[in-house]
Amino acid sequence: MKFFVEAVGVLGPGLAGWEAARPILAGSAPYVPADLVLPRFEALPAAERRRVGLVVKLSISVGLQALEQAGRPGDAVPTVFTSSGGDGEVINEICAMLASSDRLISPTRFHNSVHNAPSGYWGIATGSRAPSTSLCAFDWSFAAGLMEAATQVNIDHESVLLIAYDLPYPEPLRGARPIRHPFASALLITRRRTPRSAAACEIGNGGAGAPSRMQDGNLEQLRRDNPAARSLPLLAALTGGRDAGAGGLEVLIESTAGNTLGLSVTPC
């Protein structure tokens, strides 16, 4: 199953957008871990901005970053949102309320707790009525999202925007689900090569081989700690740099049942 990557977005600790992250992921610039810096967020109307948390801001920001890079409007591009857990902060607040004597849950909190909340706010931000899919596959959510987006591109749509995101949970949930840092990435993929295509990708049989790892120890730690950051070896391969993983431009990403999703990445 083949597709082309037209644009990339990334936001994470020390990775402030694709242009800044590209030399780091290519191995030509050092990676310096730092707190996440979220761009100024004005994509939503003021009323909606007051209601959303970091999950929505991060996922929408990284998606808009990819669209801006491709020079595409957001109102007509189908989307796939993938996350291992959604908005853990809201879930934690709801659990705390249910465990208290006052069980009156804010309607806004309940609304933001559903897994497709970022997709809904994306529609508000972009005015999009294009199809949108929200999915979850625990630690293998990025591989599942990539398979879904690639399938849609090959069968239903000319282009699809994949947005993967995961953030730390607050305590006490963090003790059961330790994610240390927020991270999100976005891939605008197309069925056919375009003048902006960065690489051609083909999904093959990954089997049970070991997943590709990052050469930089801190980036590898980020990859292991955050399910959405399992996208890092693919992002590195898209740069064509030395940190594309142990298999060069062959990338293996963790998938379900102990398997890996195999990708062949060829720069355009």
Side-chain angles (χ1 to χ4, degrees):
M1 187 160 53
K2 191 173 183 179
F3 60 90
F4 294 87
V5 177
E6 185 173 290
V8 184
V10 62
L11 287 169
L15 301 170
W18 180 239
E19 290 305 314
R22 186 168 183 168
I24 297 171
L25 297 178
S28 59
Y31 174 58
V32 181
D35 292 338
L36 171 71
V37 177
L38 194 68
R40 184 177 178 86
F41 186 79
E42 295 182 342
L44 290 168
E48 279 73 23
R49 285 203 303 271
R50 289 194 295 269
R51 299 189 185 112
V52 301
L54 184 57
V55 164
V56 172
K57 294 178 181 178
L58 181 63
S59 57
I60 289 180
S61 293
V62 78
L64 291 176
Q65 184 188 132
L67 288 180
E68 181 180 1
Q69 183 187 134
R72 288 176 177 253
D75 59 355
V77 179
T79 52
V80 172
F81 286 77
T82 184
S83 173
S84 73
D87 196 328
E89 183 176 349
V90 169
I91 294 170
N92 183 74
E93 291 180 4
I94 290 177
C95 288
M97 290 296 296
L98 291 175
S100 71
S101 58
D102 180 7
R103 297 187 177 183
L104 296 178
I105 297 173
S106 160
T108 299
R109 289 286 182 267
F110 180 78
H111 171 82
N112 287 344
S113 71
V114 298
H115 200 69
N116 64 344
S119 171
Y121 283 113
W122 174 266
I124 296 172
T126 63
S128 176
R129 296 186 179 182
S132 184
T133 302
S134 297
L135 54 82
C136 172
F138 193 54
D139 280 347
W140 313 285
S141 294
F142 177 72
L146 184 61
M147 278 291 294
E148 174 67 24
T151 301
Q152 289 190 21
V153 155
N154 276 269
I155 296 175
D156 296 321
H157 309 299
E158 286 294 324
S159 61
V160 172
L161 179 64
L162 170 65
I163 300 175
Y165 56 95
D166 275 302
L167 289 88
Y169 284 80
E171 292 291 357
L173 293 181
R174 185 178 298 179
R177 181 62 170 155
I179 297 176
R180 297 185 186 182
H181 303 289
F183 181 88
S185 63
L187 295 172
L188 179 61
I189 68 173
T190 62
R191 184 183 303 178
R192 298 176 178 86
R193 180 171 178 170
T194 73
R196 295 179 180 270
S197 294
C201 297
E202 188 165 5
I203 295 177
N205 295 321
S212 299
R213 291 174 167 80
M214 304 301 291
Q215 292 185 13
D216 182 281
N218 288 318
L219 284 173
E220 173 60 15
Q221 186 69 45
L222 176 61
R223 186 196 70 83
R224 292 199 308 263
D225 284 346
N226 187 306
R230 307 290 161 83
S231 61
L232 280 171
L234 174 56
L235 301 187
L238 291 172
T239 71
R242 66 169 176 81
D243 207 11
L249 294 179
E250 298 295 324
V251 178
L252 297 176
I253 300 172
E254 288 100 323
S255 188
T256 56
N259 294 314
T260 54
L261 180 68
L263 292 104
S264 174
V265 181
T266 306
C268 290

